[in-house]
Amino acid sequence: MLALRLARGAHPLVQLRRFLVAAASAGTGFLLLCTLGYAMGHPEAAAGSMLRLAWCLAPLAATVYFAVAVARTDPGTRPRSGLAAIGLGPARLMALSAVTTALSTTLGSLLALVVFLHLRGDLTGLPFDGAAAGFLAADQALPLPAALTLLALVPVSASMASALVLRPKDGRPRRTGWRGGPSSASGTGDAPDAQLDGLPGEALVAESPTAPRPAPGGLPWGVAALAAGLAVETYASRSDRAPGPHLPGGLAVGPAGVLAGWALTALGLALAAPAIAHGCGWLLQAVRPGALRLLAGRGLQEEARRLGRPLGVVCAVASGAYATAALYAGARPSFGPLTALGAVLVTGCTLATLATAAIEAKQARADTVAALVRLGAPATLLRTAALLRAGALAAVFVPLTWLVAELAAMPLAG
């Protein structure tokens, strides 16, 4: 009941994010149910049914990833002073966040079931003159236990992932401020402004985001996975000429080894992105930085772990889309509605996850920004620093994505 009350009384933007999670869960649940319908209508094609189910893993992973990002930024379940006195400590808040995530994803799964039954004609007769009856096996009884099992994949996975990510660490609530900023002031009772009062000009801006975090350690693993993926793609494209798996819409991806190589390439981008983002922050403040570059660089270094991983996933999806578009530039593959739905889910969830991470980063530095404004820092300086951080990330990750996409498309084209 408490989770329902918190969900009902949340801010409209928070409700919008939860609605997007429910929509993504509905799309993924519908894809899973369509896979069940295909398996019912084609009992002789067991391998094709398993392949369609395997293709649903990408939308499923993207939906769960987005749901966890929304749970991290939910203000209703954020640790606050006084909540522990009424029994809402970090563990209880983690459980509330998992329940809220389960409610949103379950709502989407139920919506997917309603749409699926409507298209099958189980509710009000066959719509669209029975156009969807073929791949939904409308002439057969729906095995309800199997359908409910598939629909439970998203809520169970999303709630468990949210609980794992938001679990209490050392019994302390999550910190929401920049490292060394006002929100990390010592527990001496002094106001945050008192530690920064009297700092003029550039010193005021320079003293706030002090002692940046060390660089994330995923760069060597990311580079190794990226190189291994490209090598596997090249080797598979030259040595294996057997036809590979196809998307449900008929889009060929070449030998299975090429697909495995692309998966390694995507994993490498996701692992290396936080360290690359941290390096962007280091470059911004290199060689005698002023107040603007120092503020932008230290802020980007602090946010590298939060923004880097979603940015790397977006780059992986973009490189895959670019490679596919380059491969079929002169052809016209037939994209079915389910293939289009899966592509929209993966792309939309990754972009929404990156936007949610940016919102979380803005919330994390809200106390520091407010303190700087009270101490006289110009608002234009803060806005310019934010634009400089975004420009630095774009200047590095856009060419990197293009390079990886070109290298990934070469084995496919060959």
Side-chain angles (χ1 to χ4, degrees), residues 2 7 9 47 63 66 120-121 131 159 189 194 200 262 266 276 286 293 310-311 357 363 368 376 386:
L2 180 58
T63 301
F66 178 43
R120 277 174 48 91
S159 58
W262 182 85
I276 296 175
R293 289 197 293 125
L311 187 58
Q363 293 174 351
T368 300

Side-chain angles (χ1 to χ4, degrees), residues 56-344:
C56 293
L57 292 179
L60 174 63
T63 301
V64 172
Y65 193 39
F66 178 43
V68 171
V70 171
R72 285 174 56 93
T73 59
D74 193 342
T77 57
R78 183 179 303 147
R80 294 185 296 272
S81 59
L83 291 181
I86 60 174
L88 292 178
R92 289 285 184 89
L93 291 176
M94 177 268 294
L96 282 176
S97 179
V99 171
T100 303
T101 303
L103 289 175
S104 300
T105 51
T106 301
L107 177 62
S109 296
L110 293 178
L111 179 61
L113 179 61
V114 171
V115 174
F116 182 76
L117 293 177
H118 175 66
L119 292 178
R120 277 174 48 91
D122 295 335
L123 300 180
T124 59
L126 283 173
F128 308 113
D129 297 327
F135 66 91
L136 297 183
D139 57 339
Q140 302 182 33
L142 179 67
L144 192 58
L148 294 180
T149 300
L150 290 176
L151 289 176
L153 288 178
V154 176
V156 172
S157 301
S159 58
M160 291 181 62
S162 300
L164 181 64
V165 171
L166 300 178
R167 70 188 186 279
K169 298 177 178 63
D170 300 330
R172 293 174 294 181
R174 289 176 292 140
R175 196 162 49 101
T176 58
W178 277 354
R179 186 183 182 93
S183 62
S184 61
S186 60
T188 59
D190 296 335
D193 295 350
Q195 298 184 1
L196 301 176
D197 197 11
L199 297 177
E202 295 185 1
L204 179 143
V205 182
E207 284 296 327
S208 179
T210 58
R213 291 186 182 183
L219 184 59
W221 292 103
V223 173
L226 184 63
L230 294 175
V232 168
E233 283 189 57
T234 304
Y235 177 78
S237 63
R238 293 180 178 179
S239 61
D240 188 3
R241 294 298 178 182
H246 288 70
L247 282 169
L251 181 65
V253 296
V258 173
L259 184 62
W262 182 85
L264 280 175
T265 302
L267 178 62
L269 279 174
L271 290 176
I276 296 175
H278 191 278
C280 292
W282 179 83
L283 289 175
L284 279 178
Q285 54 184 323
V287 190
R288 299 179 60 85
L292 175 62
R293 289 197 293 125
L294 183 63
L295 183 62
R298 293 288 176 88
L300 186 55
Q301 285 182 317
E302 184 68 20
E303 298 166 1
R305 287 175 172 82
R306 184 178 288 112
L307 292 177
R309 192 62 53 80
L311 187 58
V313 174
V314 169
C315 292
V317 173
S319 64
Y322 180 88
T324 303
L327 178 62
Y328 290 93
R332 292 183 178 180
S334 58
F335 292 99
L338 299 183
T339 304
L341 177 59
V344 169

Side-chain angles (χ1 to χ4, degrees), residues 31-57 135 150 246 248:
L31 286 178
L32 291 170
L33 290 178
C34 289
T35 301
L36 176 62
Y38 179 85
M40 293 168 53
H42 303 79
E44 74 285 350
S49 300
M50 290 301 298
L51 181 60
R52 286 171 176 263
L53 185 61
W55 279 117
C56 293
L57 292 179
F135 66 91
L150 290 176
H246 288 70

